[in-house]
């Protein structure tokens, strides 16, 4: 290869590297020419236009609509009794979506009242369990060695089945709302403790060395480094707890309760009123989705940098 072609190739590589890294000039080398910053920004702008062009936006909208289309197809096949044909089911065993919708409309007031009762159990246990788990994780982070062992022991609560826990809580707190709140509290406390403790103790050494060099106290370590670093783990624990709290509340109502979606669900199954029983399932699922999305929205508002990092 001639010397002239070698120099031209080095110039091209220098321009390409500078464009990718966003540098105002090529990296180095006497043979490389200087690339004007306006030209680089112009190329970046063109690349951004390509990424946000009509074709890319169209594909993004199509992908975001794909789950809704799949859900609509599922409900259509259900309404056409495809699943009845596949699993040899009768209509009284699996009511179609239109029958469930009619049942929700006819029993709207009762379903709303029972949903508020179950929602109170969910939120009460969710907040109490998450708070206790967070306090346990925070305390354990000050003594990482023994704290890790304590969090491991606490995580054993997740292995206790709800069907075994609910009668015990009913025996302790009676048949009122506090027994279901206690069930949700127990099953959410361990998840929060494990998730938050991991976030509090997963600190990169250079940050710890920096604060150690500044003679920071343990409390300064916690408030200025550990807690901000652990906020994504905190919200991860909250999202897990929100999903499991609805299960704890509904299953707890199966045993001893006089209100709530779980009580109504078990009662209507005994009466073979399946459209209303399925209505309870639909309302419970909707309640869980709304509360979960509320946590996701709070996460986006409070720690937007985490969303920007995970979106890529």
């Amino acid at each position: 290869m001639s010397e002239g072609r070698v120099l031209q190739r080095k110039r091209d590589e220098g321009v390409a590297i500078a464009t990718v890294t966003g540098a105002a000039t090529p990296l180095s080398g006497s043979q490389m020419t200087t690339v004007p910053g306006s030209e680089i920004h112009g190329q970046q702008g063109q690349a951004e236009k390509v990424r946000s062009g009509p074709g890319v936006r169209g594909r993004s909208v199509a992908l975001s609509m794909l789950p809704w289309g799949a859900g609509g197809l599922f409900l259509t096949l259900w309404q056409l009794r495809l699943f009845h044909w596949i699993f040899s089911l009768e209509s009284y065993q699996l009511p179609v979506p239109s029958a469930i919708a009619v049942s929700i409309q006819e029993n709207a007031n009762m379903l709303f009242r029972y949903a508020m009762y179950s929602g109170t159990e969910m939120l009460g246990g969710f907040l109490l369990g998450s708070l206790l788990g967070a306090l346990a994780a925070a305390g354990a982070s000050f003594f990482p060695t023994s704290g890790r062992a304590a969090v491991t022991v606490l995580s054993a609560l997740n292995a206790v089945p709800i069907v075994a826990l609910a009668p015990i809580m009913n025996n302790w707190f009676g048949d009122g709302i506090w027994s279901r709140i206690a069930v949700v509290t127990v099953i959410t406390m361990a998840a929060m403790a494990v998730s938050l403790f991991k976030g509090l103790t997963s600190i990169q050494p250079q940050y710890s060395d920096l604060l150690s060099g500044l003679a920071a106290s343990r409390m300064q370590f916690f408030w200025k480094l550990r807690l901000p670093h652990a906020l994504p783990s905190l919200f991860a624990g909250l999202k897990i707890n929100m999903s499991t709290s609805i299960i704890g509340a509904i299953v707890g109502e199966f045993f001893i309760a006089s209100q709530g979606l779980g009580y109504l669900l078990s009662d209507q199954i005994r009466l073979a009123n399946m459209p209303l029983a399925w209505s309870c399932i639909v309302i419970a699922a909707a309640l869980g989705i709304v509360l979960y999305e509320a946590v996701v929205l709070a996460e986006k508002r409070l720690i937007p940098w985490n969303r920007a990092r995970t979106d890529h």
Side-chain angles (χ1 to χ4, degrees):
M1 185 179 294
S2 65
E3 183 178 357
R5 295 183 62 184
V6 171
L7 292 176
Q8 181 61 40
R9 184 175 179 179
K10 288 184 177 180
R11 293 191 188 98
D12 296 340
E13 290 176 349
V15 171
I17 293 172
T19 302
V20 171
T21 57
T25 58
L27 294 180
S28 64
S30 59
Q31 299 87 351
M32 298 180 185
T33 59
T34 301
V35 179
S38 57
E39 181 179 346
I40 295 174
H41 292 304
Q43 293 173 355
Q44 290 176 338
Q46 291 177 359
E48 187 65 29
K49 287 181 180 178
V50 171
R51 286 195 294 270
S52 60
V56 176
R57 287 199 300 270
R59 286 195 296 272
S60 178
V61 171
L63 290 175
S64 64
M65 295 299 294
L66 188 59
W68 294 99
L73 177 62
F74 177 80
L75 291 176
T76 302
L77 296 177
W78 185 356
Q79 181 66 33
L80 295 176
R81 302 175 186 275
L82 175 65
F83 305 120
H84 297 74
W85 177 73
I86 294 175
F87 300 106
S88 301
L89 296 174
E90 300 295 336
S91 296
Y92 70 88
Q93 294 174 301
L94 179 62
V96 295
S98 60
I100 298 173
V102 171
S103 178
I104 292 176
Q105 182 180 8
E106 292 176 348
N107 302 278
N109 292 333
M110 180 178 62
L111 288 170
F112 178 78
R113 188 171 66 255
Y114 283 10
M116 291 298 101
Y117 187 84
S118 297
T120 303
E121 296 171 346
M122 282 178 56
L123 286 177
F126 166 79
L127 294 174
L128 190 57
S130 299
L131 176 62
L132 292 176
L135 291 176
S141 67
F142 285 91
F143 311 97
T145 303
S146 57
R148 184 172 289 103
V151 171
T152 302
V153 173
L154 185 62
S155 66
L157 290 175
N158 275 341
V160 179
I162 300 176
V163 293
L165 190 63
I168 296 174
M169 294 297 107
N170 286 333
N171 190 25
W172 287 5
F173 298 99
D175 58 353
I177 193 173
W178 283 105
S179 62
R180 268 82 66 189
I181 291 178
V183 171
V184 178
T185 298
V186 171
I187 65 174
T188 55
M189 182 170 55
M192 173 55 73
V194 173
S195 178
L196 185 58
F197 179 77
K198 183 178 180 182
L200 289 171
T201 55
S202 300
I203 305 296
Q204 296 184 13
Q206 58 267 32
Y207 299 142
S208 299
D209 295 341
L210 177 61
L211 285 187
S212 297
L214 296 174
S217 65
R218 282 192 170 189
M219 292 303 294
Q220 288 174 324
F221 256 98
F222 180 81
W223 291 110
K224 295 186 181 297
L225 178 61
R226 293 190 186 279
L227 188 57
H229 179 79
L231 286 179
S233 299
L234 173 67
F235 278 97
L238 291 177
K239 287 187 280 189
I240 294 173
N241 284 347
M242 187 54 76
S243 301
T244 56
S245 61
I246 184 65
I247 301 173
I250 296 295
V251 174
E253 291 170 354
F254 280 180
F255 292 89
I256 299 178
S258 58
Q259 297 185 63
L261 293 173
Y263 160 76
L264 185 61
L265 173 61
S266 62
D267 187 55
Q268 296 305 309
I269 289 176
R270 280 195 297 269
L271 298 174
N273 187 2
M274 298 310 293
L276 185 53
W278 275 87
S279 300
C280 296
I281 297 174
V282 172
I283 296 299
L287 183 62
I289 291 172
V290 169
L291 294 177
Y292 179 86
E293 290 299 326
V295 176
V296 173
L297 180 62
E299 180 185 20
K300 291 178 180 178
R301 294 289 185 183
L302 296 177
I303 50 172
W305 65 86
N306 185 58
R307 179 194 178 196
R309 187 178 60 186
T310 55
D311 283 348
H312 295 284

